[in-house]
Amino acid sequence: MPELSRQGHGWPDLAARGTSCTEKGIWYATLPHRPDPAGAGVSAQPSAEARPSAEARPSAEARPSAEARPPVDGWPSVGVVLPTHNRPRLLRAALSSVLAQDYPGKIRAVVVHDRSGPDQSLADGDRVRVLANTRTPGLAGARNSGVDALDTELIAFCDDDDEWLPGKLRAQVTALRERPEAEFASCGILVEFEGRPSARLVGGDQVTYRDLLRSRMVMVHSSTYLVWREKLLDGIGLVDEAIPGSQNEDWDLALRSARRHPIVFVDQPLVRVAWGNTSYFAQQWETKIDGLLWMLDRHPDIGSCRVGAARVYAQLSFFYACLGSKAEAWRWTRRALRSNWHERRVPFAAAVAAGLLSGETVLRHLNARGHGI
């Protein structure tokens, strides 16, 4: 595949070759706030399509195998990695939400401080360990440092500005146990922006590789991830620490997992995700551009999916427009329109490139409705 340049020159029309992805839409829900998001009162509409099964692909890197999967009649131990960087108040809320889970099995949490001194006051014997990131500085390295420190049967992630809602862990483990071939699980999220909640669901019980090519699927969020440790180490592979700025590391991990087996999805909003100023990546336009170019290079199947390619091209257009690089913004806009002229992000990118709106204004408008660019 040709090397990608920041200027966008030499990028082939990937949408014209390779296998196509599903063209139909994925259902998203915007629900009012419920006092008990894990309860039976929150339901999803049926999926708009029967999702195709994903093909398996062996991992490029073999790692030592973890302990065997437990008997089906037992509750497996779960290790939760909480990466953090100078957000003590939010971190304590995230950790409390993990430890408050009504889960019959053993839960161990590892708080990984990235580029900051570990707060050992959070430690609680074998239940909560606190350590420093010993790998590549950044979110990806912090996640992997936590995985290295765990020997539990399942691994989960929770970002320091998010919170698990009641029933999250039990529901996901139950869903995994019902599918012996499954390796990876996710669930719906409750996006909160400036006090306004929006539930994001998929309307089905699984997410396939083709689903993730077509859309980043914001509900397949890192704080929802639950994976068998043996499969993460010897098959899927750890979080890739080469991604620029750890941008899209969760999408990359989900793609690698879904290519092997569909991701089990619990279609209830079981994780509260904070959007807005709590994100360290909220307005890092150059880092976002580098991360998307890396994803296109690492996952060429994205470019083979007309809808998925248009989505990424339009995002690149938007980010270049936010940087003030109008020529690059219009160049990526044309690519997006050639791939899928229905791509709904193009008008936002064009408005910013034309100077009609700021990128911050567009994001605030979208985030208030539980959506991103």
Side-chain angles (χ1 to χ4, degrees), residues 35-103:
D36 180 14
V42 177
S43 61
Q45 298 290 334
S47 177
E49 63 183 76
R51 294 185 167 85
S53 61
E55 60 184 82
R57 180 182 63 177
S59 172
E61 179 180 3
R63 297 181 181 274
S65 177
E67 59 188 290
R69 188 174 299 191
V72 72
D73 59 348
W75 290 93
S77 58
V78 180
V80 187
V81 180
L82 296 95
T84 188
H85 177 73
N86 293 333
R87 296 196 282 208
R89 181 181 61 82
L90 293 172
L91 169 63
R92 286 182 179 275
L95 179 59
S96 294
S97 75
V98 168
L99 299 178
Q101 290 291 302
D102 178 19
Y103 179 67

Side-chain angles (χ1 to χ4, degrees), residues 16 35 44 51 85 94 96 104 112 124 188 208 223 227 246 262 267 309 319-320 350-351:
R51 294 185 167 85
H85 177 73
S96 294
V112 183
D124 183 10
T208 70
S223 292
V227 56
S246 292
D267 208 29
F319 297 144
Y320 274 117

Side-chain angles (χ1 to χ4, degrees), residues 102-177:
D102 178 19
Y103 179 67
K106 182 177 181 180
I107 300 179
R108 293 176 57 197
V110 175
V111 177
V112 183
H113 288 262
D114 177 50
R115 294 163 293 174
S116 60
D119 180 5
Q120 293 298 338
S121 69
L122 299 170
D124 183 10
D126 188 49
R127 194 180 187 206
V128 181
R129 290 184 59 192
V130 180
L131 49 87
N133 178 9
T134 58
R135 300 174 67 112
T136 306
L139 182 58
R143 293 199 200 283
N144 289 339
S145 292
V147 174
D148 289 343
L150 289 165
D151 61 0
T152 51
E153 292 140 321
L154 286 162
I155 300 289
F157 296 138
C158 183
D159 292 348
D160 64 359
D161 57 343
D162 299 331
E163 295 179 31
W164 286 6
L165 296 176
K168 184 263 189 193
L169 192 54
R170 182 191 285 263
Q172 285 188 299
V173 172
T174 298
L176 275 176
R177 291 170 65 188

Side-chain angles (χ1 to χ4, degrees), residues 15-336:
R17 64 174 175 83
T19 57
S20 63
C21 72
T22 302
E23 298 294 328
K24 296 180 181 178
I26 297 173
W27 182 83
Y28 300 108
T30 302
L31 302 179
H33 179 67
R34 305 291 181 96
D36 180 14
V42 177
S43 61
Q45 298 290 334
S47 177
E49 63 183 76
R51 294 185 167 85
S53 61
E55 60 184 82
R57 180 182 63 177
S59 172
E61 179 180 3
R63 297 181 181 274
S65 177
E67 59 188 290
R69 188 174 299 191
V72 72
D73 59 348
W75 290 93
S77 58
V78 180
V80 187
V81 180
L82 296 95
T84 188
H85 177 73
N86 293 333
R87 296 196 282 208
R89 181 181 61 82
L90 293 172
L91 169 63
R92 286 182 179 275
L95 179 59
S96 294
S97 75
V98 168
L99 299 178
Q101 290 291 302
D102 178 19
Y103 179 67
K106 182 177 181 180
I107 300 179
R108 293 176 57 197
V110 175
V111 177
V112 183
H113 288 262
D114 177 50
R115 294 163 293 174
S116 60
D119 180 5
Q120 293 298 338
S121 69
L122 299 170
D124 183 10
D126 188 49
R127 194 180 187 206
V128 181
R129 290 184 59 192
V130 180
L131 49 87
N133 178 9
T134 58
R135 300 174 67 112
T136 306
L139 182 58
R143 293 199 200 283
N144 289 339
S145 292
V147 174
D148 289 343
L150 289 165
D151 61 0
T152 51
E153 292 140 321
L154 286 162
I155 300 289
F157 296 138
C158 183
D159 292 348
D160 64 359
D161 57 343
D162 299 331
E163 295 179 31
W164 286 6
L165 296 176
K168 184 263 189 193
L169 192 54
R170 182 191 285 263
Q172 285 188 299
V173 172
T174 298
L176 275 176
R177 291 170 65 188
E178 290 174 350
R179 300 191 187 184
E181 77 287 355
E183 300 179 347
F184 197 104
S186 178
C187 66
I189 62 175
L190 191 70
V191 174
E192 286 201 350
F193 178 75
E194 297 182 345
R196 180 174 179 174
S198 300
R200 300 300 303 274
L201 310 174
V202 302
D205 61 0
Q206 69 176 23
V207 172
T208 70
Y209 180 62
R210 288 177 177 173
D211 292 334
L212 287 166
L213 290 178
R214 186 186 188 279
S215 171
R216 166 61 188 85
M217 300 186 72
V218 68
M219 67 289 297
V220 185
H221 186 281
S222 55
S223 292
T224 73
Y225 289 1
L226 181 70
V227 56
W228 292 107
R229 182 175 183 271
E230 62 177 319
K231 300 300 181 182
L232 183 65
L233 298 181
D234 188 12
I236 299 170
L238 291 173
V239 181
D240 198 316
E241 298 175 26
I243 301 175
S246 292
Q247 281 282 318
N248 297 302
E249 37 65 57
D250 49 355
W251 187 21
D252 168 69
L253 184 63
L255 278 168
R256 285 189 274 128
S257 175
R259 184 165 183 133
R260 292 165 53 87
H261 296 284
I263 294 172
V264 173
F265 197 86
V266 178
D267 208 29
Q268 300 176 39
L270 297 175
V271 176
R272 180 180 290 113
V273 175
W275 278 9
N277 294 331
T278 61
S279 173
Y280 283 116
F281 306 113
Q283 296 178 12
Q284 295 184 13
W285 310 126
E286 289 190 15
T287 304
K288 291 176 182 291
I289 289 169
D290 290 341
L292 285 177
L293 294 176
W294 188 95
M295 287 295 294
L296 289 172
D297 188 39
R298 174 68 181 270
H299 298 280
D301 284 348
I302 295 172
S304 300
C305 171
R306 299 186 69 88
V307 174
R311 170 189 168 274
V312 175
Y313 299 164
Q315 287 178 314
L316 285 166
S317 174
F318 179 84
F319 297 144
Y320 274 117
C322 292
L323 277 177
S325 302
K326 293 184 178 180
E328 283 302 301
W330 291 119
R331 184 174 292 117
W332 285 103
T333 291
R334 289 193 293 271
R335 289 192 173 99

